[in-house]
Each structure stands twice: as C-alpha cells, then as structure tokens.
Amino acid sequence: MASRSPSDATTRRLLSGLGPSSGLSRRSLLRGAGIGALALSSPALLDACGTKGAKVSAGSCVSKDLSSTQKTIVFSNWIGYIDPAKAKDTSTLEKFQQETGIKVDYRNGDVNDNEQFFAKVSPQLQDCKSTGRDVFVLTDWMAARMVDLGWLQKLDHSKMPNVDANLIDSLKSPDWDPHRDYSVPWQSGMTGICYNSDLTDPVTSFKDLLTRPDLKGKIELLTEMRDTMLFMLLLQDSDPGDFTADEFSSAISALQKYVNNGQVRRFTGNDYVDDMKSGDIVACEAWSGDVINLLGGGKYKWVPPDEGFAIWTDNMLVPNMAEHKTNVETMMNFYYDPVNAAKLAAWNYYFCPVKGAQQQIGQFDKSAVHSEFIFPSQKILQNGHAFMSLDQKSEQSYQTQFNEVMGG
C-alpha cells in the first residue's frame, strides 16, 4: 500500500464531515483498569490467559447444534456497535427476530477490549467448555489468534448465501482465514487523528501530533498497541505490515522520547472523547466512527494522517461448544442483505462490508450515501495499513515493550 494519505481539500472535507450526533462507541474504555493494570500484561499474565498448551485439535471439541429446536442466540458485542437493539419497528435486531422467530440475547458491551475478552473466555475454550455465548465480535488480529488455537467452529456457507454474494472483495480472503471458514466481518474502521478546530490549527500528520510545540501536553494516544505502534513504525519509515524486531524497538524508543518530553498527556481508550470535550486536550489518535458518533463532527475533525492510517476489521465468530451455530449463520445471512446492512451502517458510521448497501442507505440517511466513513473510495483505501500478523513470542515481546512505555 502507498505510504501517503490523500491531501486534497475535497477529501479532507469528506473525512471531517458530520455523522450521527448520538450513540455509543464500538470501542470501550477499560473502565477501572488504568495504565497500572495494563502494564500487568507481562509475559506471566499472557501465559496465564494465553496460548501455551491451549490449542485444541481439529475434531476434538464438538457440540451438538440445537438450532432446530432452540430458536435462540447469545450474541456478545462491543458497546454501541448496533442500532438500538430494542427499538420496536426500527431496530435491525427486532426485524431479525420477527422474521426468523429466533430470539437474540444481545450482550451490549460484553466485549470491551480484545485482550480482556480473550482472558474472559480462554479458560473455557482451552478446556473445551462452553463460554455461554453463540457468537462474539473480535478484531481481526484476535480472531486470527483464535483460529490458530482451534477455538472456533467452521461455518457452513450454504446457510449464508448473502455473505458469499455480498461480502466486498477487499475482505474476502484475509491471510488468517482465506476462505472465511471461521469468520464473517461485522464492520471495519480507521484509526487516525481527531482535532478540535476551535482550539488548534489543523493537525494533519502524526509527526505534527508528536512534535508541534503548541500541542505539548495536549494530545493523547491509544492504549491499543497495534494502533499506536502502526503510526510509530510509519514515522520510522518502516512498513507496519512487514517489520523486524529491531524496527519495532526503534519505534518504541521514539515513542518513549515523546512520553518523556511531555508531548503525550496520557494513553487512553474512548475517554479521549471526554478529554476532547473538556478541552484538556486539543488533538488525539482516534477511531473514525467513534469520533462521528460521540463527538458529532462540527469543530471536531477526523483526518487520515499524511503518513497513512490504520485499518481494521471486527469479525463475527462462533466459539467451540456453542449450541446454536445454524441460528448464528441465519443472523449472518440477515445482516448481509444490503437493506439490513445499510440500516446498520447508517447508524454506526463504520465501513460497511456489504455490497449493495450504498444503493440502499439513502432511505435511512441521505447524507450517508457518499460518506467516506462508510463507503471509502479506492483512493482512500490505498493509504490504509494493516498491522503485521504476529506469532505468540513476538506478540508477547511487543505488547510488553509497549506497556512499559505506557506505564512509565
């Protein structure tokens, strides 16, 4: 992918445009777990909830599908990642239940961080026990880890023809699940920069975010290692999709410098929104749809940094021992109908993975038809970067180094 992002004024206006002014975010702060807790993600902790001896061999952990007699689904998702679940006659989830007779126990916010959720379900999954969930949504790198561990059930594509017909080409064959045997994208998004145009001049590059004197102590970075280190690697002229341990170490050293000199106020989850609203900060690393949903546009501008931006996908996954896989596949098929996908996307303003949704979305939100947040052009996408897949040893090393910077 190209290493530069669009700089023309038209694109920037599109990307800082208004979206919905209400709703909650797809990514939630680890409330009650501050930097001190995050710093505990040491090798010992990772081993305790991680992958050593945790792999499940194919065919050794099988459950009976009770979908034919039990019309239920337990669905765990990030907070605010679906249109209002109980809004009668307006909710996609209510529509699904009415059309199929399948009742959904929707657990809003049960997933609030990839690593935290992994720790929550790994004791059951590595022992071939039920998690009490039929489907959950995790970011691509965590989904890849679970595929590797053998913790997910293989999907039956014959039961979800809409997925095969309408999944956009760019998401069809990730290297960790090339045939989408175990995963179906829920939504995708971007990580870039948000700034308050009333309080600062435009901040259009990650370099400016970390070096401009007028921003010292007034910016925040994300606690997600992959998001933040992707930009630090780009600043070191390294490819975040293919880098060495030495290149990562160099990027960590650069990040430490900006922490030590006071440029970075702190590392945050979604609470950058509160700090932006209070004026404690004037710019930050931020997620695209969250800025639109929580800050409502206006003076709060989201831009893809000049260096490029991070792109990620969250995926629906069926864990081992879940007993309603066919019901879940029916739901996956429902959300890949372009009308249903459009209604969802018009609410949460993330990348829509469904072909045909753009032609349907005007009936729900005319301003969303040409939104680059929901339907990014190839010009935009060519400047996106995905973080390199990591083996267990590298993951542990890189996360520990990053946590040490945050904790210091």
Side-chain angles (χ1 to χ4, degrees):
M1 293 183 180
S3 60
R4 301 287 295 176
S5 70
S7 57
D8 61 279
T10 300
T11 299
R12 293 207 183 281
R13 282 197 298 272
L14 284 169
L15 286 170
S16 59
L18 293 174
S21 59
S22 63
L24 293 174
S25 155
R26 160 248 181 256
R27 290 176 185 248
S28 173
L29 167 68
L30 286 171
R31 300 199 182 279
I35 294 300
L38 287 169
L40 290 176
S41 293
S42 62
L45 180 59
L46 288 173
D47 287 348
C49 66
T51 59
K52 288 192 174 180
K55 281 196 174 186
V56 174
S57 59
S60 67
C61 187
V62 180
S63 58
K64 183 178 181 180
D65 191 340
L66 303 177
S67 295
S68 62
T69 57
Q70 296 181 2
K71 297 299 182 182
T72 62
I73 295 173
V74 179
F75 184 5
S76 291
N77 207 345
W78 302 77
I79 193 168
Y81 214 9
I82 197 171
D83 51 320
K86 297 184 182 296
K88 190 175 182 180
D89 300 326
T90 62
S91 163
T92 55
L93 203 57
E94 286 291 310
K95 180 183 177 183
F96 169 74
Q97 293 179 131
Q98 291 168 8
E99 289 186 357
T100 65
I102 298 171
K103 184 178 180 181
V104 181
D105 177 2
Y106 187 77
R107 299 185 178 180
N108 189 33
D110 188 30
V111 183
N112 66 353
D113 173 85
N114 284 289
E115 289 287 3
Q116 188 184 61
F117 189 78
F118 181 86
K120 187 187 297 186
V121 299
S122 59
Q124 294 82 29
L125 290 172
Q126 66 186 0
D127 288 340
C128 194
K129 296 179 180 178
S130 173
T131 67
R133 304 163 179 86
D134 294 303
V135 58
F136 43 68
V137 175
L138 296 175
T139 308
D140 38 23
W141 61 270
M142 181 58 78
R145 185 192 295 182
M146 289 198 170
V147 169
D148 181 63
L149 289 168
W151 288 0
L152 304 176
Q153 295 190 44
K154 189 173 183 178
L155 302 172
D156 183 351
H157 280 255
S158 70
K159 293 183 172 66
M160 42 186 192
N162 286 342
V163 175
D164 289 345
N166 299 328
L167 177 60
I168 61 175
D169 293 342
S170 62
L171 294 179
K172 278 189 173 179
S173 300
D175 59 359
W176 51 272
D177 190 13
H179 304 295
R180 288 293 181 185
D181 288 328
Y182 301 96
S183 62
V184 171
W186 177 251
Q187 305 278 271
S188 296
M190 300 174 283
T191 307
I193 294 171
C194 175
Y195 68 91
N196 184 334
S197 62
D198 283 355
L199 300 179
T200 184
D201 292 333
V203 183
T204 60
S205 74
F206 216 72
K207 180 179 179 181
D208 281 351
L209 191 71
L210 293 175
T211 60
R212 269 178 35 184
D214 62 304
L215 299 177
K216 187 172 184 178
K218 299 178 182 179
I219 72 155
E220 291 175 350
L221 302 179
L222 293 171
T223 56
E224 292 267 349
M225 182 270 286
R226 285 167 174 79
D227 281 324
T228 297
M229 292 310 299
L230 181 143
F231 290 112
M232 296 308 302
L233 286 160
L234 287 174
L235 286 177
Q236 301 299 307
D237 294 323
S238 297
D239 180 356
D242 185 15
F243 59 87
T244 67
D246 286 343
E247 287 175 317
F248 186 88
S249 179
S250 177
I252 279 287
S253 296
L255 177 62
Q256 185 70 68
K257 179 183 73 173
Y258 298 122
V259 171
N260 291 346
N261 70 13
Q263 185 76 9
V264 181
R265 180 174 182 265
R266 65 174 181 142
F267 292 83
T268 67
N270 270 118
D271 49 343
Y272 65 73
V273 171
D274 297 330
D275 293 341
M276 288 290 286
K277 287 181 176 179
S278 68
D280 287 340
I281 59 171
V282 299
C284 62
E285 183 184 6
W287 295 302
S288 55
D290 287 359
V291 171
I292 296 297
N293 276 318
L294 294 177
L295 291 171
K299 64 185 178 182
Y300 300 107
K301 311 296 183 183
W302 188 93
V303 296
D306 290 340
E307 296 86 359
F309 61 89
I311 186 168
W312 42 264
T313 299
D314 289 337
N315 306 271
M316 294 179 279
L317 312 167
V318 178
N320 287 345
M321 302 308 292
E323 297 180 331
H324 305 101
K325 183 172 76 76
T326 298
N327 290 344
V328 173
E329 290 160 346
T330 300
M331 186 184 72
M332 291 173 171
N333 194 61
F334 171 87
Y335 275 103
Y336 270 72
D337 176 277
V339 174
N340 299 328
K343 191 169 188 177
L344 174 63
W347 188 85
N348 66 24
Y349 263 64
Y350 277 102
F351 283 6
C352 180
V354 180
K355 294 177 182 176
Q358 188 167 18
Q359 288 71 41
Q360 301 294 334
I361 203 168
Q363 61 186 293
F364 307 111
D365 181 356
K366 290 182 179 179
S367 68
V369 174
H370 300 295
S371 171
E372 290 279 5
F373 286 100
I374 305 173
F375 307 109
S377 65
Q378 286 303 310
K379 183 178 181 181
I380 296 294
L381 288 175
Q382 70 181 355
N383 298 293
H385 295 268
F387 200 85
M388 183 174 74
S389 298
L390 302 176
D391 58 32
Q392 180 186 349
K393 182 177 180 181
S394 297
E395 166 105 23
Q396 187 170 306
S397 172
Y398 296 159
Q399 187 68 56
T400 299
Q401 291 178 60
F402 182 66
N403 291 346
E404 288 173 351
V405 174
M406 288 197 298

